[in-house]
Amino acid sequence: MTTKSPGTSTQRCLATNNAKRVPLTQKKATVPSRPVPSRVPTKRLTSLLPRSTRHAARPAGCTQNHIEQLPPEILMKILWNLDASSLYCIGYVNKLFYKLAKNNAMWRKKYSAKYGESKNLKAKHMDEVVEKLSMMKVQERPEGYWRRLYFRTIAGYNHTKWLKELRTINPFTGLPSHTERVLREQCVAWEITVCDRSVCEGTFEQSHTYYSDSSVTLCWTNGSWPAFHQLSTVQLHGVKRVPLKCPSIIKPGWRSLMAQLDIDTISKSSQVIGGDRLVKLVLLSPGIIIGIWRGQSSIAFVMATFHYHRLLERSLLGSSVCPYTIPENRPLFDDVDPNYGLHGYTLHITLHNTVTEIMSGHFPQLFCRKGQIHEGFIQLNAIIRSNQSRQTPLSARVSLPWRSDALEGTVKNCCMMSLTLLEESQIPFWCVSTPVSMVLANEEPFSYDYQGQHFLIKYQDAEGKVQMDVVLLEEQRQFFLINLVVYISTVKVNQHFGRAY
């Protein structure tokens, strides 16, 4: 039997090319005169916030480009001559450039050249200074420290400055007077990140922002939302961007975690609080509601409301994975007053929506007697049925306007409630901002003064609860708030004042 020689590698290549040759008449385009370099297909950029720690893996057939073959010393020399915008953007090329572009010595030089730690620091001596610092103090800092400091400084990130602006307190609300102005000056934005059960993640920036006297309401209407029943996690971040000349999708900034809900919280605590013929409102947490289209599980919009108390700190001073911790501000212990912690409260409460203010009330000198402590709560009566002097009308119907990217509407008997309870030293003691619903009372209390339908507005969390009685006067076609009671947990009171009620 005769054995055929396998032939040389050149002969095999020629045979393969001849076998794959296509007649010229079958080709749709002429062959270019010079070879076209292969291109690696790139993924379409989405609305996700870029993660600096995530980089696409190199395809198997992709060869290393020429610049990556240069020695690290040459690459560092090139990067040293880039401006801040280019140096930041090149960090998103691949893992190698991401690591090189975070060099502390480079960003220390740029920081010192732009801001200078002292007036005697001259630009011509900067290289010598940085070279010495790179061997000492610069390398003692964690990787990326000077880059982060550079961007925070260029963005005007000076928390000591805006904290001073928040020292002026509004005597009516007991909150900083200039919260809205500082939020606008600092260009604070808020983003919501949703992840479904297939680990597909999407990040969206708020579409609309509405400010009231003690809270801010945010709306997200644009984006390709996952189905509600597929939600796995929901995260809310405060975001501050740096005004830098680079693509907006990778513009530098930092995020502060403000709220995080997992699949267990979403499935167990979600409740429907209202709706209209197009959407129904699902309350996920005290400050977040999701509008879901009727007859399907797709998301139409997301709304959230945040109280002004420590809002700047919560939006800017936390990290992307850990929220800002509000420091405890306990008063001095008083062992003389037997009713310490039961009197001197001031309540400011507002009912509002994204268009108008429905009701606003200020109730000072609230107290509770020891005999009124019941089932682990102290009772603070702001408005009672027997005293008509404090009963107040609602200036508008209780409703909550909404909008999606295509439609809009109004949900009746729903609104936002912002509550601020100050203790005796006028320090915020309990702050709540949340959507609430008004439901028809099962038993209408008999009253000679108010004849009409009676409604209830209730709210409760681990620290306290609120109950409001509202009556609709048929003749005037107007709502009146005739009863308002706030209950505070004795656990919270005992922990704050050092008592044992």
Side-chain angles (χ1 to χ4, degrees):
M1 183 174 61
T2 306
T3 304
K4 295 184 180 180
S5 173
T8 62
S9 59
T10 305
Q11 292 174 341
R12 289 197 304 269
C13 291
L14 290 175
T16 304
N17 292 337
N18 292 332
K20 296 182 179 180
R21 186 169 297 167
V22 181
L24 187 60
T25 57
Q26 298 180 8
K27 297 182 180 180
K28 295 183 179 181
T30 59
V31 180
S33 58
R34 57 181 180 178
V36 179
S38 62
R39 296 181 180 270
V40 180
T42 58
K43 294 183 178 180
R44 181 175 61 85
L45 295 177
T46 63
S47 59
L48 298 178
L49 188 71
R51 306 294 181 120
S52 59
T53 57
R54 297 181 180 179
H55 296 274
R58 185 184 302 277
C62 180
T63 59
Q64 191 176 30
N65 56 45
H66 296 294
I67 193 170
E68 291 182 357
Q69 297 178 1
L70 295 175
E73 296 79 7
I74 302 299
L75 290 176
M76 289 298 297
K77 191 68 175 179
I78 296 174
L79 297 183
W80 273 77
N81 292 279
L82 297 179
D83 58 10
S85 300
S86 303
L87 186 58
Y88 177 82
C89 292
I90 203 172
Y92 285 93
V93 173
N94 54 29
K95 292 183 179 180
L96 173 62
F97 283 107
Y98 172 72
K99 182 177 180 180
L100 297 177
K102 291 180 66 176
N103 182 269
N104 270 344
M106 283 193 300
W107 287 104
R108 175 67 174 81
K109 174 185 176 181
K110 295 186 181 301
Y111 180 85
S112 301
K114 189 173 183 66
Y115 301 103
E117 294 186 65
S118 66
K119 295 181 180 180
N120 298 326
L121 198 59
K122 303 298 182 180
K124 63 181 180 179
H125 301 303
M126 193 61 59
D127 292 337
E128 182 180 354
V129 173
V130 171
E131 184 178 357
K132 294 179 180 179
L133 288 173
S134 63
M135 302 300 296
M136 300 183 301
K137 184 172 63 176
V138 176
Q139 298 303 332
E140 295 174 2
R141 301 289 188 179
E143 187 181 21
Y145 169 83
W146 288 104
R147 185 181 73 157
R148 183 166 57 252
L149 181 62
Y150 177 89
F151 289 132
R152 291 200 172 197
T153 307
I154 199 175
Y157 185 90
N158 187 351
H159 66 276
T160 58
K161 179 180 178 181
W162 53 256
L163 283 176
K164 291 180 181 179
E165 298 181 12
L166 297 177
R167 291 178 180 176
T168 304
I169 303 299
N170 186 334
F172 187 68
T173 63
L175 300 170
S177 303
H178 307 304
T179 301
E180 179 181 350
R181 191 192 71 188
V182 176
L183 284 170
R184 295 182 183 274
E185 290 177 351
Q186 294 296 318
C187 300
V188 180
W190 293 271
E191 291 182 347
I192 184 170
T193 302
V194 294
C195 183
D196 61 17
R197 298 182 182 181
S198 60
V199 201
C200 292
E201 188 179 274
T203 300
F204 312 94
E205 190 169 323
Q206 88 272 7
S207 307
H208 310 282
T209 306
Y210 307 94
Y211 294 93
S212 67
D213 62 351
S214 56
S215 65
V216 57
T217 302
L218 312 171
C219 300
W220 291 267
T221 60
N222 301 323
S224 299
W225 303 94
F228 177 74
H229 67 277
Q230 291 292 332
L231 285 181
S232 175
T233 59
V234 177
Q235 292 181 330
L236 278 172
H237 290 88
V239 180
K240 182 172 176 60
R241 301 292 187 191
V242 176
L244 203 65
K245 293 182 179 180
C246 62
S248 58
I249 197 170
I250 61 171
K251 193 176 289 294
W254 54 93
R255 315 168 86 203
S256 177
L257 181 63
M258 301 182 67
Q260 182 172 3
L261 305 175
D262 56 17
I263 187 172
D264 294 332
T265 306
I266 296 174
S267 59
K268 294 179 180 179
S269 64
S270 60
Q271 57 177 326
V272 178
I273 63 172
D276 58 12
R277 61 186 182 87
L278 294 178
V279 299
K280 61 180 180 180
L281 303 183
V282 178
L283 178 65
L284 293 188
S285 73
I288 305 173
I289 56 176
I290 294 182
I292 303 175
W293 295 114
R294 290 278 188 183
Q296 49 187 312
S297 62
S298 58
I299 298 176
F301 61 88
V302 179
M303 298 179 68
T305 176
F306 293 114
H307 198 276
Y308 277 171
H309 180 54
R310 301 284 187 175
L311 180 57
L312 266 298
E313 292 89 335
R314 290 184 291 151
S315 301
L316 296 178
L317 299 186
S319 68
S320 60
V321 295
C322 183
Y324 171 79
T325 302
I326 299 178
E328 295 185 6
N329 192 3
R330 296 184 181 181
L332 297 176
F333 180 74
D334 188 349
D335 57 353
V336 178
D337 185 2
N339 296 319
Y340 182 57
L342 298 179
H343 56 78
Y345 290 98
T346 301
L347 173 66
H348 177 75
I349 188 170
T350 303
L351 297 179
H352 63 93
N353 54 34
T354 57
V355 177
T356 184
E357 183 180 276
I358 301 172
M359 188 278 296
S360 180
H362 184 78
F363 308 96
Q365 299 301 321
L366 301 181
F367 64 92
C368 175
R369 295 183 176 90
K370 288 186 177 180
Q372 293 178 315
I373 300 177
H374 182 64
E375 294 182 352
F377 290 94
I378 69 169
Q379 179 177 334
L380 303 175
N381 296 316
I383 300 177
I384 56 177
R385 292 186 178 91
S386 59
N387 186 1
Q388 297 184 10
S389 61
R390 286 192 172 184
Q391 294 175 357
T392 178
L394 305 187
S395 60
R397 292 272 181 165
V398 176
S399 61
L400 185 61
W402 61 268
R403 65 169 64 178
S404 67
D405 55 354
L407 300 174
E408 60 183 23
T410 301
V411 176
K412 296 181 179 180
N413 298 333
C414 287
C415 65
M416 300 293 183
M417 181 188 73
S418 298
L419 179 147
T420 308
L421 184 66
L422 310 175
E423 44 111 307
E424 187 175 5
S425 57
Q426 298 302 299
I427 297 175
F429 180 64
W430 186 40
C431 298
V432 176
S433 186
T434 180
V436 293
S437 61
M438 185 174 69
V439 298
L440 188 64
N442 295 328
E443 297 182 1
E444 296 185 2
F446 178 78
S447 175
Y448 291 104
D449 300 316
Y450 299 103
Q451 296 294 329
Q453 289 183 315
H454 287 255
F455 297 85
L456 295 177
I457 298 177
K458 293 183 178 181
Y459 169 77
Q460 183 173 356
D461 62 19
E463 297 183 346
K465 57 183 180 179
V466 181
Q467 178 172 330
M468 290 181 276
D469 294 353
V470 181
V471 62
L472 173 62
L473 300 183
E474 297 294 344
E475 295 182 359
Q476 293 85 355
R477 301 301 300 173
Q478 188 176 20
F479 288 93
F480 268 79
L481 180 61
I482 62 174
N483 190 57
L484 171 58
V485 183
V486 176
Y487 301 87
I488 304 298
S489 170
T490 54
V491 175
K492 181 177 177 63
V493 174
N494 294 336
Q495 183 179 5
H496 185 76
F497 294 100
R499 308 298 289 181
Y501 295 120

